[in-house]
Amino acid sequence: MLTRYDLDRKALAALLADQPSYRVDQIWVGLHRRGAEPAELTDVPKSVRARLETEAPAGLQEVTRQVGDRGKTIKWLWRLHDDNYVETVLMHYRDRSTVCVSTQAGCAMACGFCATGQAGFGRNLSSGEIVEQVIRASRAAAPRRVSNVVFMGMGEPLANFGSTWTAIERLHDEVGLSARRLTVSTVGIVPGIRRLAQERLPVNLAVSLHAANDELRDALVPVNRRYPLDSLLHACREYLAAKHRRLSFEWALIDGVNDRPSDARELAALAVPLRAHVNLIPLNPTEGYAARGSPPIRVREFRDWLGALGVNATIRRNRGTAIDAACGQLRQRTSTVFPSSVRIARSSTS
Ligand code: SAH
């Protein structure tokens, strides 16, 4: 099914073939720049608005909206037209507002510490379903503007390359977000990184490293058996050479597993030559994984060890833990028991 934001300009014009072209432009701009619902396009005749509602239907139905961090973090659970479910997170910071989007319902990469990986794969999202997550979050963010989009929600963006790239182009060309403010996060799909290096927009690349030797990484991130560290780092170098963008490594600190001085040394040996930035985050708890996140004191120590070894490392502020919206906590859920401390607003919109 083609949802509203799956239509490109030509397809929208074809759908409205009986309308003058200025009207098509008006609607196109309204949908993308203003994130308007058809009903809000009040300069468009009512009959045309009604046709848009039925012939270009929204792809996301809001099931729940949870608010955490005193309003600064919002998480949506959406139902897709075929009863798959995905989540989106909006985070407000002092200087920016970031949307974290999903690219797949579920994920096939099977990282044991990640809730999405534990639940398995549903299907790829269409580009329209990805773009619409940004549009819907932008509506909720107003009057603030969404400034950044990170492809760090459910799924592996580079395992759904076509839709992810089409969504990136649409967000850049039509919604008006600059490539510098778009970040693709990957588990390390080497052919996907190579392909990304060939594309026209220099988006930021984040690699979920978590281990800096093959033995440990094979255990934590199973796809490493297919694309071992050597090949992954080679692809990272290619990306840097092509795009001149800062590379970042994500490192979820797991107590006693990858938070030792030797881990910091191994990581530094990989990060320094690439001048990669390291994002540290204590592992968030998930149902299917027993190990714990490193304690705060170890997290700071680990950062300091990296700093002493010449690595630029920051501790990521943790958002949304109380509403299971933090990194690695998103999952396919059809029914959910929410913590009672959380305010839940149910919405009846489309
Ligand atoms: N598949 C992509 C994007 C989604 S995951 C990727 O792997 O990069 C977004 C980030 O959250 C990744 O860095 C992932 O490794 C991390 N993550 C997964 N589970 C986590 C957990 N339980 N705690 C902290 N980070 C986690």
Side-chain angles (χ1 to χ4, degrees), residues 296-313:
I297 185 160
R298 176 46 71 93
V299 173
R300 287 192 296 271
E301 257 176 348
F302 197 84
R303 176 200 55 199
D304 295 343
W305 295 336
L306 289 175
L309 293 163
V311 179
N312 191 353

Side-chain angles (χ1 to χ4, degrees), residues 104 106-112 116-117 120-121 155-156 158-159 187-189 220-223 226-227:
Q104 300 179 314
C107 186
M109 298 298 121
C111 301
T116 312
F121 183 65
E156 168 50 42
L158 299 185
V187 70
I189 307 276
L220 291 178
V221 181
V223 82
R226 187 127 162 244
Y227 307 114

Side-chain angles (χ1 to χ4, degrees), residues 113-114 152-153 155-157 185-187 208 210 250 252 283-284 286 327-328:
F113 54 85
C114 173
M152 292 186 188
E156 168 50 42
S185 178
T186 180
V187 70
S208 299
H210 307 313
E250 322 284 304
L283 185 83
N284 290 305
T286 57
C327 298

Side-chain angles (χ1 to χ4, degrees), residues 25-316:
D25 292 344
Q26 217 175 22
I27 293 169
W28 181 260
V29 170
L31 292 178
H32 290 90
R33 290 272 164 178
R34 284 168 39 213
E37 300 272 346
E40 295 164 344
L41 299 168
T42 47
D43 44 3
V44 170
K46 233 181 177 157
S47 62
V48 177
R49 282 186 255 159
R51 261 169 64 196
L52 281 173
E53 286 287 1
T54 55
E55 289 168 44
L60 308 177
Q61 286 208 9
E62 184 172 313
V63 181
T64 55
R65 184 190 293 210
Q66 292 173 270
V67 181
D69 302 324
R70 300 182 180 181
K72 290 202 231 88
T73 304
I74 303 175
K75 181 177 85 167
W76 286 266
L77 173 66
W78 311 105
R79 180 169 39 241
L80 310 179
H81 62 79
D82 59 355
D83 272 359
N84 273 290
Y85 290 78
V86 293
E87 298 188 311
T88 305
V89 183
L90 168 67
M91 291 158 286
H92 293 300
Y93 300 92
R94 193 156 29 87
D95 55 339
R96 65 187 194 283
S97 293
T98 300
V99 184
C100 177
V101 297
S102 295
T103 53
Q104 300 179 314
C107 186
M109 298 298 121
C111 301
F113 54 85
C114 173
T116 312
Q118 290 158 16
F121 183 65
R123 70 161 167 88
N124 282 331
L125 299 194
S126 69
S127 62
E129 288 166 334
I130 301 171
V131 170
E132 194 175 327
Q133 293 173 60
V134 178
I135 300 284
R136 300 285 285 271
S138 300
R139 292 171 61 83
R144 293 182 64 140
R145 286 182 65 89
V146 165
S147 53
N148 297 63
V149 175
V150 294
F151 292 75
M152 292 186 188
M154 292 166 62
E156 168 50 42
L158 299 185
N160 182 14
F161 196 98
S163 295
T164 296
W165 189 259
T166 303
I168 286 172
E169 290 197 308
R170 186 73 71 87
L171 293 172
H172 177 270
D173 298 347
E174 308 296 342
V175 178
L177 290 164
S178 99
R180 272 180 295 121
R181 294 174 176 279
L182 305 175
T183 300
V184 171
S185 178
T186 180
V187 70
I189 307 276
V190 166
I193 297 174
R194 295 235 162 85
R195 216 171 137 191
L196 202 62
Q198 308 295 316
E199 296 290 351
R200 79 180 160 100
L201 298 172
V203 298
N204 301 308
L205 180 64
V207 174
S208 299
L209 205 60
H210 307 313
N213 69 67
D214 280 319
E215 199 189 340
L216 181 57
R217 197 162 193 272
D218 282 352
L220 291 178
V221 181
V223 82
N224 192 68
R225 289 176 215 148
R226 187 127 162 244
Y227 307 114
L229 281 167
D230 252 1
S231 64
L232 174 57
L233 296 165
H234 194 267
C236 289
R237 273 193 291 279
E238 266 181 51
Y239 193 79
L240 285 179
K243 300 291 177 212
H244 309 290
R245 273 281 117 96
R246 188 179 77 173
L247 176 70
S248 46
F249 288 147
E250 322 284 304
W251 195 277
L253 282 161
I254 310 172
D255 196 17
V257 172
N258 64 355
D259 63 353
R260 302 156 298 179
S262 60
D263 296 302
R265 282 194 299 272
E266 286 173 359
L267 170 54
L270 304 189
V272 168
L274 290 167
R275 295 207 202 141
H277 180 95
V278 173
N279 271 316
L280 299 172
I281 173 170
L283 185 83
N284 290 305
T286 57
E287 241 165 58
Y289 195 69
R292 282 191 317 222
S294 309
I297 185 160
R298 176 46 71 93
V299 173
R300 287 192 296 271
E301 257 176 348
F302 197 84
R303 176 200 55 199
D304 295 343
W305 295 336
L306 289 175
L309 293 163
V311 179
N312 191 353
T314 49
I315 299 168
R316 196 186 271 167

